[in-house]
Amino acid sequence: MKKTLLLFFLALSCAPKESSPIDEPEIFHQGFEKMTEVIIHDIFSPPISSRVYVYVAIAAYEAFIPNQAQYQSLANQLKDFDNLPQPESGKKYNFTLASIKAMMTVARSLTFSVEKYEDFEKNTYQKFKNLPADIYTNSIEFGEKIGNYVLTYSKKDNYLQIRGMRYTVKQDADKWKPTPPQFADAMEPYWGTIRTMVLDSVGQFPAPKPFPFSKEKDSEFWKEMQEVFEMVNQLT
């Protein structure tokens, strides 16, 4: 996810300046800051937050780069991501405006407290009102098309299918259990079934197996656990 955001902001920083009332990356930073505020307000977990960020960043990037040959679309680079909407020949666009519209189209759909975006959107779009009417309309429509395409793409990643699935707590000593003080449910225990974007699967680069569970004080498991315990207790 961080790489996708970095790619987007790099494109903004290095892009040739088009004739636009806004041609600086600050407005996009403001947009992502507003979305972060909403994510925090909606109490999204880190995995869900990462999903929101990556789809918003993809939409913003794809709507921003059509007139910039030095940047390559993510089409056919991300899994199942192809045949994106393209600007219509003969029409003029402001791709900064299109990018903001794409960003907000996705953000509004993937978060809950959408009323918190209203002032930001109103103030931002107002800054583009000196554009010719056709360019303004074309840009908004193109950004919305990109946003809706990315939303359709997002619905096929298995996220919705695992919403109702709950983890059954096992009583075995070596299995995860809710812990105090919150005794919260397992956080996204089926996240490994989410469609990958670049990897073939989550198993393409398997992590080393952890030390076998053991209560013996001379075991590698116990030594590792004790190291973490002592480190936590020494924190200031």
Side-chain angles (χ1 to χ4, degrees):
M1 184 272 290
K2 289 182 179 178
K3 289 184 177 179
T4 306
L5 290 171
L6 178 61
L7 179 65
F8 173 53
F9 286 119
L10 180 62
L12 284 172
S13 300
C14 301
K17 301 301 183 183
E18 59 177 305
S19 176
S20 167
I22 299 178
D23 59 1
E24 298 179 359
E26 281 75 12
I27 192 64
F28 292 97
H29 285 283
Q30 292 171 12
F32 277 95
E33 286 175 356
K34 176 58 65 174
M35 185 174 64
T36 299
E37 177 187 324
V38 174
I39 285 173
I40 293 172
H41 182 272
D42 289 345
I43 320 178
F44 284 177
S45 69
I48 295 176
S49 299
S50 71
R51 180 177 181 268
V52 175
Y53 280 120
V54 75
Y55 286 130
V56 171
I58 289 172
Y61 177 77
E62 291 293 340
F64 184 75
I65 65 167
N67 67 335
Q68 299 177 45
Q70 73 271 39
Y71 293 109
Q72 184 177 353
S73 170
L74 297 173
N76 299 312
Q77 297 192 77
L78 304 182
K79 185 177 292 186
D80 304 327
F81 192 67
D82 53 19
N83 297 322
L84 275 75
Q86 299 297 319
E88 294 184 34
S89 178
K91 286 188 176 182
K92 294 182 178 181
Y93 299 86
N94 180 290
F95 292 106
T96 302
L97 175 57
S99 181
I100 294 168
K101 181 60 178 179
M103 173 196 297
M104 299 315 301
T105 298
V106 178
R108 277 183 165 274
S109 181
L110 297 185
T111 55
F112 299 140
S113 304
V114 296
E115 69 280 357
K116 291 184 174 294
Y117 296 122
E118 290 177 1
D119 287 343
F120 167 78
E121 286 190 275
K122 179 180 178 180
N123 294 335
T124 301
Y125 295 143
Q126 185 62 37
K127 296 176 182 178
F128 290 89
K129 286 298 185 179
N130 64 337
L131 288 172
D134 61 328
I135 295 180
Y136 184 93
T137 300
N138 295 342
S139 303
I140 290 291
E141 290 179 350
F142 178 66
E144 192 168 20
K145 286 180 181 178
I146 291 290
N148 286 332
Y149 176 90
V150 172
L151 286 173
T152 299
Y153 175 69
S154 73
K155 292 175 182 177
K156 300 176 182 179
D157 66 1
N158 205 46
Y159 174 78
L160 296 177
Q161 285 72 19
I162 64 175
R163 288 307 83 202
M165 297 173 63
R166 297 181 63 85
Y167 179 77
T168 301
V169 176
K170 301 174 178 61
Q171 298 307 314
D172 299 343
D174 62 338
K175 297 299 189 294
W176 177 88
K177 298 179 183 64
T179 55
Q182 189 176 3
F183 291 97
D185 291 337
M187 182 182 293
E188 300 299 334
Y190 303 103
W191 201 257
T193 66
I194 293 289
R195 174 189 57 200
T196 55
M197 288 192 167
V198 178
L199 300 181
D200 292 338
S201 69
V202 293
Q204 187 173 354
F205 297 99
K209 290 184 178 181
F211 294 125
F213 175 81
S214 174
K215 293 183 178 181
E216 299 297 325
K217 294 188 178 181
D218 61 347
S219 68
E220 293 301 320
F221 180 89
W222 186 274
K223 292 176 183 177
E224 188 176 65
M225 180 186 68
Q226 190 67 24
E227 179 182 355
V228 174
F229 176 76
E230 291 175 357
M231 182 69 71
V232 169
N233 286 338
Q234 292 171 11
L235 295 176
T236 63

